[in-house]
Amino acid sequence: MVFIATSRHENDWLYCTRERKVVLIRFSVRQNLFRSKPQAPAYRRRKLAQWPSLTTPHTLLQSLDMFYRSDNRTPDQMRPVNIVPGYINTAEGSVLIEVGNTRVICTASIEESVPLFLRNSGKGWITAEYSMLPRATLTRTPREVTKGRSSGRTHEIQRLIGRSLRAVTDLVRLGERTIWIDCDVIQADGGTRTASITGAFIALGLALEKLVEAGTLTSAPLRDFVAAVSVGIVDGEILLDLCYEEDSRADVDMNFVMTAGRKLVDIQATAEHQVFDEQQLARMIALAGQGVQSLISKQQAILGTLTLRQ
């Protein structure tokens, strides 16, 4: 059971079960069950109704049809997003991106060389590295350097970030240089890879602006903006931008990478506990598009003077 609120009687507490039934626990009963009052997650009522008069312990209230998210958001609502450009002074481009309680530092570094397979090709390259601080999570995660190798998850996310940025970059106009993207998660509460992609694009844009200002490039070799967001199905509800509490128990978990022109760059989808149909997929794509557009508007506010190479 999850604590919702106190009833009209100060000492009586209301709880919501996983079946979305509301339970009243009288003070006398509660004293034997709990030592202290648990922290109340916020909730949203889908039908407004008054609490009926309750006279017996453990009374079930089925008159309320309700769905709550742990941070008081509606199913189609993003977490608060805050982006701080120029967060690292020593990097050509950098941001701190905060999506709810997830915080990622993204930097872009310019290197005047390319990998061996691109030498004398006239093309540039964009690659990414991703890592998490040991206490970015609820319990300490050992640094991967102590294991001697990166995990499969880290490799997957690094490739996803690099692939997403290369998809909207004209590598020929970039010239024979490499831009290294580093994404370091300092606090994780779900959606670290999507936040990394969204922040990494801004860091990339800021670094390219430096090349334009220096006269190295005439314009930023970017074809479009790109951002990413998660969508999932939790307790039968399609939700936008999952936090960790939702992601950890999602029936379906998806990550969408999309451009400002609503073109898809990458889709990651997993039916963790239940399969999903075409109608649900269409709804999730529409919801992801809505979330990505809100993120891109924040990118455009920071990179407002950036001239894209069409």
Side-chain angles (χ1 to χ4, degrees):
M1 291 188 296
V2 179
F3 178 74
I4 300 175
T6 58
S7 71
R8 64 183 66 178
H9 306 292
E10 281 297 317
N11 290 327
D12 297 337
W13 293 355
L14 296 170
Y15 287 78
C16 182
T17 68
R18 290 185 65 86
E19 292 77 23
R20 301 182 193 170
K21 296 178 181 178
V22 176
V23 181
L24 172 74
I25 298 184
R26 288 293 186 190
F27 178 73
S28 58
V29 178
R30 171 171 58 82
Q31 280 184 313
N32 298 324
L33 296 179
F34 304 101
R35 292 184 179 180
S36 61
K37 182 177 179 180
Q39 184 177 1
Y43 68 97
R44 183 176 66 91
R45 298 181 191 172
R46 295 169 65 186
K47 289 183 180 178
L48 297 177
Q50 294 182 346
W51 300 108
S53 176
L54 302 173
T55 58
T56 59
H58 302 275
T59 302
L60 296 181
L61 303 181
Q62 300 186 35
S63 60
L64 285 179
D65 177 20
M66 61 189 300
F67 183 82
Y68 64 89
R69 297 185 77 172
S70 58
D71 48 8
N72 198 30
R73 288 182 292 144
T74 58
D76 61 350
Q77 186 177 0
M78 293 280 296
R79 289 176 286 178
V81 178
N82 181 48
I83 301 173
V84 182
Y87 191 73
I88 302 294
N89 293 333
T90 51
E92 285 87 343
S94 68
V95 297
L96 167 67
I97 181 168
E98 299 175 324
V99 182
N101 290 323
T102 290
R103 297 171 185 166
V104 187
I105 298 173
C106 305
T107 61
S109 306
I110 301 171
E111 189 176 279
E112 294 296 328
S113 62
V114 292
L116 284 173
F117 70 91
L118 283 177
R119 284 188 181 175
N120 301 319
S121 67
K123 294 183 179 179
W125 189 245
I126 299 173
T127 189
E129 292 188 1
Y130 168 97
S131 68
M132 297 178 66
L133 290 183
R135 278 317 301 264
T137 49
L138 291 175
T139 57
R140 186 181 186 277
T141 304
R143 296 181 190 272
E144 292 183 342
V145 66
T146 61
K147 301 177 182 179
R149 61 183 177 85
S150 299
S151 67
R153 175 181 179 275
T154 296
H155 277 297
E156 175 201 349
I157 294 175
Q158 290 179 165
R159 290 167 62 92
L160 175 63
I161 297 169
R163 189 166 62 242
S164 300
L165 298 180
R166 290 194 298 271
V168 294
T169 305
D170 188 332
L171 298 177
V172 173
R173 295 190 178 278
L174 176 60
E176 288 200 23
R177 55 180 57 87
T178 298
I179 298 183
W180 287 88
I181 302 296
D182 290 288
C183 298
D184 293 282
V185 180
I186 59 176
Q187 186 168 288
D189 185 30
T192 61
R193 73 185 66 195
T194 53
S196 295
I197 292 170
T198 303
F201 178 81
I202 301 175
L204 172 63
L206 293 173
L208 292 174
E209 280 186 340
K210 295 283 182 66
L211 291 176
V212 174
E213 290 171 1
T216 306
L217 298 175
T218 57
S219 63
L222 296 172
R223 300 188 183 95
D224 207 344
F225 285 74
V226 68
V229 74
S230 64
V231 180
I233 300 178
V234 183
D235 295 335
E237 294 278 346
I238 297 177
L239 306 180
L240 175 65
D241 188 22
L242 306 184
C243 65
Y244 176 76
E245 185 274 331
E246 295 165 338
D247 181 74
S248 62
R249 60 189 181 89
D251 296 322
V252 177
D253 181 21
M254 301 189 72
N255 296 303
F256 291 86
V257 185
M258 303 173 72
T259 69
R262 294 185 177 270
K263 294 183 178 179
L264 292 166
V265 176
D266 204 296
I267 299 177
Q268 297 180 327
T270 305
E272 301 280 1
H273 304 292
Q274 272 188 325
V275 296
F276 56 97
D277 57 33
E278 291 182 3
Q279 288 184 337
Q280 290 172 311
L281 176 60
R283 172 60 179 155
M284 286 189 281
I285 293 174
L287 210 55
Q290 172 187 317
V292 165
Q293 292 304 311
S294 70
L295 292 170
I296 287 177
S297 67
K298 293 183 179 295
Q299 292 177 332
Q300 291 171 337
I302 295 172
L303 301 173
T305 60
L306 190 65
T307 303
L308 303 188
R309 185 73 188 191
Q310 301 296 331

